[in-house]
Amino acid sequence: MPRLADLRFRAATTFQRRVGNPILRRLPLQTVLETTGRVSGLPRRTPLGGRRVGDSFWLVSEFGERSQYVRNIKVDPRVRVRIRGRWHTGTAQLLPDDDPVARLRGLPRFNSLGVRAFGTDLLTVRVELDG
């Protein structure tokens, strides 16, 4: 990975882990993705942006397969998503053939700007929601 991209990754993930995520995941209307930790087996909650379309929830990972939640999905795709304060169970699917830049155009603007600004390896993720 080029040096600038690696610096952006380290800076963004350090800020998210220590400042942003602990605050955002507590906000009742913040969208949160819950995965199962691939080593610990414990629930891991990540605040993020995305959009529900029918029975699917779409998001774009800004660091692709380097994102911890993507690494967790690869081991166990069963997830929960909190949308507008309500939890939904589902199965996540990584879509490397989808165009993540085009996908971001249909997702919430504020989050999409951040993903584009800091992202180094965009990856589309779709969660098929149960019932």
Side-chain angles (χ1 to χ4, degrees):
M1 175 177 279
R3 183 166 164 71
L4 179 59
D6 190 52
L7 287 173
R8 284 174 33 189
F9 171 77
R10 288 174 187 255
T13 56
T14 298
F15 176 80
Q16 289 168 345
R17 190 176 315 116
R18 298 210 170 127
V19 180
N21 290 358
I23 294 169
L24 291 174
R25 77 171 63 103
R26 287 178 173 82
L27 299 176
L29 296 181
Q30 171 67 47
T31 301
V32 175
L33 176 70
E34 183 181 84
T35 59
T36 300
R38 63 193 174 281
V39 175
S40 69
L42 298 173
R44 300 297 183 202
R45 292 183 175 175
T46 305
L48 44 73
R51 175 165 282 139
R52 182 176 183 164
V53 179
D55 288 334
S56 297
F57 181 79
W58 293 86
L59 64 118
V60 174
S61 167
E62 62 193 326
F63 300 115
E65 295 194 15
R66 290 184 77 185
S67 294
Q68 297 299 318
Y69 67 86
V70 170
R71 294 172 70 189
N72 290 341
I73 287 168
K74 289 176 82 172
V75 172
D76 184 355
R78 293 170 300 158
V79 300
R80 292 193 322 151
V81 183
R82 187 177 73 191
I83 306 168
R84 295 187 182 115
R86 183 168 174 254
W87 286 101
H88 304 269
T89 59
T91 304
Q93 182 179 8
L94 307 177
L95 301 171
D97 294 330
D98 191 65
D99 181 350
V101 174
R103 181 69 55 195
L104 283 170
R105 290 187 204 113
L107 299 180
R109 188 172 296 165
F110 180 74
N111 176 259
S112 295
L113 290 172
V115 169
R116 274 187 246 172
F118 295 105
T120 57
D121 187 20
L122 305 182
L123 174 66
T124 301
V125 180
R126 179 181 69 219
V127 178
E128 289 299 321
L129 302 172
D130 300 334

